Amino acid sequence: MNTNMKRVTVFGLLLLTAMLFTSTMSPLKGHAEEDTYLIATDVTFAPFEFQNEDGDYVGIDIELLAAIAEDQGFEYELAPMNFSAGLQALEANQVDGMIAAMGITPEREESFDFSNPYFESGPVMAVRDDDEDISSYEDLDGKTLAVKVGTTGAEFAAELAEEYDIEISQFEDSATMYEDVLAGHSDGAIEDYPVMAYAIQQGLDLRFPEEPELGDEYGFAVNLGQNQELLEMFNAGLANVLEDGTYEEIVERYLGDSSEVAPRAGFFGLLQANFGPLMTGLGRTLVLTLVSFAIALVAGTVIGLFSATPSKVLNVIADIYVTILRGIPLIVLAFFMYFTVPQLFGIQITAFTAGIITLSLNTTAYIAEQVRGGLAAVDKGQLEAARSLGLPYGVSMQKVVLPQAVKIMIPSLINQFVITLKDTSILSVIGIVELTQTGRIIIARSYQSGAMWIIVGLMYLVIITLLTKLSNMIERRLIAND
Amino acid sequence: MTKLKTEALRKSFGELEVLKGLDLEVKEGEVVVIIGPSGSGKSTFLRCMNLLEEVSDGRVIVDDFDLTDPKQDINKIRQNVGMVFQQFNLFPHLSVMDNITMAPKQLKDLSGEDARTLAMRLLDSVGMSDKADAYPSSLSGGQKQRVAIARALAMEPDIMLFDEPTSALDPEMVGEVLAVMKKLAEDGMTMVVVTHEMGFAREMADRVIFMDEGNIVEEGRPEQLFGNPQNERTRDFLDKIL
């Protein structure tokens, strides 16, 4: 078997594996059927929504939604994502509704239609248990407050900041915010009272120096003017579950004195208890990487060849592509794909698809540059010799120049593969539960960020080391043929 | 019969004109050797003959086909014009066998079997049949150039262009390559050779062309050009190298 055949075989195998994985693991399926609603929720907001150790979503919001759906007889699918991402997804009609302990505020009512309120709450400030400095809001002068992006807590902190000299740190999820306080970076955190109370009950070393603020009511939201029938069903169902006592049961389960306290596991206990979800997250990270890299390898080669041709038009196309895609940060591109593109073209696209597209587009730009460099590194006498035999340009590139360029490119391609793998973690912002996001979700229920980030880091390290060794083996095989 | 002809051929690199209107006619079976100081444009001239170098003005005609006509299928004509390079330019990722069979398989729809037979015959004629499965990196310079000649011959061209085929070789390997070229010439191949090997020119050329500064200064039979050069620049050049 010659070199080319081997390369094609290896490539084909990678692609096949990737396809098999995607077909079984797509987390968001969008509208599976006509009457299945896609409902956004936060990933990490215990006790309203969080994943239990079996990987199922639980919490007050989740159970309330389930009870109402059963009462009203509608089908739905959950789309967990960061709170601010959820708001954007709802605005972009990527989801039909959102239940995420969302306070009904005048600003939000400009963009969304809310159900009747289903929970009363208000923001509260928490500080470290051993922090003696802060006993009231006045003591916050010169201190730092942690808040979650887009929450009523954040608004309240902004009001406080007008009165006192406070620096505000913004976070994407509650668990990270607590960790920031525990680690001593921030002096206090503002969060809805029931959420924080639940966290403290679960063993977090925080305390409340002040009483909770009043006046925040949670509601279920749909996009303004959209899905009104869903909103009506929610209201009707809410009235029923309030009446028959289901509502009280649910709230009692999470906030009552009898609610269970999760045991704090050690490093290995944490790993053992969460091994399943972590491996699923790792699997999804690998699928994202392999599929995106395979697509980028093909597209990048094409764009790279564009920049190597004598055609000025193709040169310019390649140049524009690389300039734009290399110039946009991955996280911005991910938001653009998932939120802006559907609004512009009126289409629905799953987070996983948006993630794959984002990563492919980005990686394509880098691979195109590597292909261009690889082609330029092949002696130009090679192309001349092929052309002098009468071989057309395309065949000459394919049979003579490209195979040699690939060999030159392999080390940088391996490097790019590692970068792409690590970049998948950025896709967690649009709700893809890959390895990093899995870690966050586990922290949100276990409140053990220290051990968890070591576990997640080690998993990346192990998988990248293994894949690099494998790539180096393939590289040696290819070069041994010369 | 004329195999190859250039008419008022001009070539410029930017402002610099390196070929200043060259007329040349090569007859079937003729061996033309081009000599001249470096920078005289002889390699560029040769590379224009199969349009590896774009022509700025004038015409290149091979077998009545005008290569400079944009509608001309240049790949078709190149199949009939073999070229051998100073740096060999063997394909390093392919075996000697695959170096030779790739073009015929691609362009002449030759079966693997037929291409192999053809390649073995050619390798035999250049004395390289024992290296069919070797890779170029394991060959000496002389061996590489002999394989490169076999590769060019695999398309069964009527004309062979040699661009300083022995300049990159260690002295002891020059002979083996020249011997292969000599045999080709004796078999009646039409050849245009750019070289510094005056011995080869003297012995094998039907005509020697002396170029300087982008012009053909003098041409004639070897005994005439070497024995009794008419132009002063030719005399200067020959004095320096002989």
Side-chain angles (χ1 to χ4, degrees):
Chain A
M1 196 160 43
N2 70 23
T3 327
N4 251 327
M5 282 287 287
K6 262 184 203 165
R7 194 171 305 125
V8 168
T9 315
V10 169
F11 181 74
L13 277 176
L14 282 179
L15 200 66
L16 194 69
T17 327
M19 282 171 169
L20 280 175
F21 267 103
T22 8
S23 57
T24 54
M25 291 185 52
S26 180
L28 291 180
K29 296 205 182 66
H31 281 285
E33 289 142 39
E34 270 297 303
D35 45 2
T36 299
Y37 295 103
L38 195 58
I39 311 285
T41 187
D42 202 338
V43 253
T44 60
F45 205 63
F48 288 92
E49 43 264 336
F50 59 102
Q51 252 183 358
N52 67 13
E53 279 170 9
D54 301 326
D56 298 323
Y57 267 91
V58 293
I60 295 172
D61 282 348
I62 309 297
E63 294 198 23
L64 185 62
L65 180 63
I68 290 172
E70 197 192 334
D71 182 75
Q72 295 292 310
F74 65 83
E75 299 284 324
Y76 68 95
E77 208 175 319
L78 280 175
M81 60 188 88
N82 286 340
F83 188 75
S84 59
L87 294 177
Q88 293 177 67
L90 188 58
E91 248 186 322
N93 288 318
Q94 284 283 79
V95 294
D96 300 302
M98 178 161 170
I99 186 160
M102 194 194 318
I104 304 170
T105 64
E107 289 86 357
R108 284 184 187 147
E109 281 183 307
E110 282 172 23
S111 309
F112 308 121
D113 286 327
F114 280 94
S115 70
N116 297 328
Y118 64 84
F119 197 91
E120 242 179 80
S121 159
V124 67
M125 175 173 72
V127 296
R128 267 197 320 283
D129 214 8
D130 57 2
D131 187 338
E132 307 293 332
D133 291 351
I134 302 170
S135 56
S136 70
Y137 293 135
E138 279 107 73
D139 300 328
L140 285 173
D141 252 330
K143 306 276 186 187
T144 305
L145 268 185
V147 301
K148 203 166 87 169
V149 178
T151 58
T152 30
E155 279 171 37
F156 179 65
E159 282 169 30
L160 287 176
E162 282 173 20
E163 214 169 321
Y164 310 105
D165 173 28
I166 300 173
E167 198 178 314
I168 291 177
S169 290
Q170 309 255 8
F171 292 90
E172 284 293 339
D173 63 82
S174 309
T176 318
M177 186 170 71
Y178 306 149
E179 294 301 330
D180 200 58
V181 177
L182 291 172
H185 301 309
S186 294
D187 300 290
I190 307 262
E191 179 57 286
D192 289 357
Y193 174 73
V195 176
M196 199 99 85
Y198 179 79
I200 291 173
Q201 182 199 359
Q202 294 291 316
L204 218 57
D205 292 328
L206 297 176
R207 66 183 173 84
F208 301 132
E210 293 257 16
E211 286 296 301
E213 299 297 309
L214 287 176
D216 202 11
E217 289 179 319
Y218 292 169
F220 169 82
V222 294
N223 204 2
L224 203 63
Q226 307 279 331
N227 289 306
Q228 295 300 313
E229 77 293 341
L230 178 61
L231 198 61
E232 277 161 29
M233 284 192 282
F234 189 92
N235 281 334
L238 180 61
N240 290 344
V241 297
L242 277 170
E243 197 162 319
D244 67 10
T246 314
Y247 177 87
E248 204 167 328
E249 252 173 56
I250 293 171
V251 173
E252 178 67 21
R253 201 174 305 148
Y254 290 96
L255 294 178
D257 296 333
S258 60
S259 70
E260 276 177 44
V261 176
R264 286 180 81 82
F267 181 89
F268 290 104
L270 195 65
L271 179 61
Q272 198 181 13
N274 298 295
F275 193 71
L278 283 170
M279 289 319 274
T280 309
L282 180 65
R284 208 162 277 149
T285 289
L286 285 175
V287 173
L288 281 167
T289 309
L290 290 177
V291 175
S292 305
F293 197 76
I295 294 170
L297 212 47
V298 176
T301 305
V302 171
I303 306 264
L305 283 168
F306 274 15
S307 54
T309 58
S311 157
K312 287 273 174 291
V313 179
L314 294 181
N315 294 165
V316 170
I317 291 176
D319 191 41
I320 291 175
Y321 181 90
V322 172
T323 306
I324 292 179
L325 270 302
R326 224 170 36 165
I328 300 175
L330 195 57
I331 190 164
V332 175
L333 190 61
F335 283 138
F336 176 81
M337 278 300 149
Y338 191 51
F339 300 124
T340 311
V341 168
Q343 289 182 81
L344 286 179
F345 301 104
I347 46 167
Q348 267 211 338
I349 141 174
T350 68
F352 202 75
T353 310
I356 296 268
I357 294 173
T358 302
L359 209 51
S360 305
L361 286 174
N362 176 274
T363 308
T364 295
Y366 288 96
I367 291 185
E369 280 299 279
Q370 281 153 11
V371 170
R372 191 173 67 93
L375 290 173
V378 176
D379 181 50
K380 74 175 177 39
Q382 292 291 312
L383 181 61
E384 288 184 348
R387 297 305 308 273
S388 78
L389 289 165
L391 292 165
Y393 179 81
V395 179
S396 304
M397 290 303 277
Q398 183 203 339
K399 296 277 177 187
V400 176
V401 180
L402 204 51
Q404 297 181 54
V406 166
K407 222 162 274 182
I408 297 169
M409 281 154 43
I410 285 178
S412 59
L413 284 178
I414 293 174
N415 197 32
Q416 183 58 48
F417 183 82
V418 170
I419 292 173
T420 302
L421 194 148
K422 288 189 288 189
D423 277 352
T424 54
S425 63
I426 293 173
L427 299 176
S428 62
V429 296
I430 54 170
I432 298 178
V433 187
E434 39 62 68
L435 185 53
T436 301
Q437 185 73 338
T438 306
R440 271 202 195 144
I441 290 171
I442 294 167
I443 290 168
R445 72 161 167 271
S446 68
Y447 303 102
Q448 283 181 273
S449 69
M452 202 58 231
W453 289 128
I454 293 176
I455 291 173
V456 169
L458 284 175
M459 286 178 78
Y460 276 112
L461 192 63
V462 167
I463 200 72
I464 284 171
T465 308
L466 287 177
L467 286 171
T468 311
K469 289 253 182 280
L470 180 72
S471 315
N472 289 339
M473 250 167 60
I474 294 172
E475 181 188 4
R476 273 199 294 278
R477 279 265 181 84
L478 290 176
I479 284 171
N481 264 342
D482 276 3
Chain B
M1 198 185 104
T2 303
K3 284 303 284 185
L4 185 150
K5 191 161 77 170
T6 68
E7 290 175 358
L9 182 69
R10 287 178 187 277
K11 170 70 185 175
S12 302
F13 292 109
E15 295 285 285
L16 183 71
E17 189 171 48
V18 290
L19 300 179
K20 300 170 180 168
L22 302 184
D23 296 296
L24 175 71
E25 220 176 308
V26 182
K27 301 231 170 333
E28 187 166 4
E30 195 179 10
V31 176
V32 173
V33 172
I34 305 176
I35 61 171
S38 58
S40 60
K42 51 193 193 305
S43 275
T44 308
F45 186 30
L46 190 79
R47 289 159 57 83
C48 283
M49 292 177 193
N50 66 352
L51 237 62
L52 272 190
E53 212 67 74
E54 244 177 83
V55 173
S56 305
D57 195 28
R59 299 207 297 166
V60 180
I61 294 158
V62 173
D63 285 332
D64 294 333
F65 297 107
D66 184 357
L67 268 66
T68 45
D69 181 353
K71 290 193 287 287
Q72 191 57 250
D73 180 2
I74 184 72
N75 295 325
K76 204 75 199 161
I77 292 167
R78 279 180 180 152
Q79 294 182 25
N80 209 25
V81 183
M83 188 160 197
V84 175
F85 300 84
Q86 182 178 351
Q87 296 297 337
F88 331 125
N89 294 346
L90 289 181
F91 307 136
H93 61 300
L94 300 178
S95 67
V96 165
M97 175 58 73
D98 291 339
N99 260 276
I100 297 171
T101 57
M102 184 183 66
K105 275 204 246 176
Q106 288 285 326
L107 301 170
K108 293 196 159 171
D109 287 327
L110 236 52
S111 71
E113 181 86 17
D114 289 349
R116 234 188 127 76
T117 311
L118 168 73
M120 282 315 291
R121 181 168 61 73
L122 290 169
L123 282 174
D124 204 37
S125 75
V126 299
M128 291 291 295
S129 46
D130 55 329
K131 295 285 188 183
D133 295 319
Y135 277 83
S137 57
S138 68
L139 303 181
S140 73
Q143 290 174 323
K144 282 181 190 167
Q145 197 59 299
R146 285 188 280 152
V147 171
I149 294 172
R151 178 178 68 181
L153 291 173
M155 289 308 294
E156 300 179 313
D158 293 344
I159 306 169
M160 286 285 283
L161 307 177
F162 292 85
D163 187 3
E164 305 200 24
T166 56
S167 297
L169 297 177
D170 290 336
E172 74 270 23
M173 294 172 182
V174 171
E176 61 191 68
V177 172
L178 289 181
V180 168
M181 290 168 63
K182 221 163 118 182
K183 204 165 85 186
L184 259 183
E186 281 163 1
D187 290 349
M189 176 65 76
T190 309
M191 291 163 65
V192 182
V193 184
V194 170
T195 188
H196 294 292
E197 292 298 325
M198 295 306 148
F200 177 82
R202 226 188 263 275
E203 190 183 347
M204 296 309 301
D206 295 307
R207 191 158 31 124
V208 179
I209 290 175
F210 173 70
M211 274 182 74
D212 194 21
E213 292 178 350
N215 290 304
I216 294 177
V217 175
E218 186 171 351
E219 61 174 286
R221 298 201 51 81
E223 59 274 18
Q224 176 195 332
L225 194 124
F226 287 115
N228 185 19
Q230 301 298 307
N231 191 294
E232 195 179 333
R233 282 193 283 173
T234 318
R235 273 198 298 274
D236 276 359
F237 175 71
L238 291 174
D239 281 348
K240 268 181 218 146
I241 61 160
L242 290 175

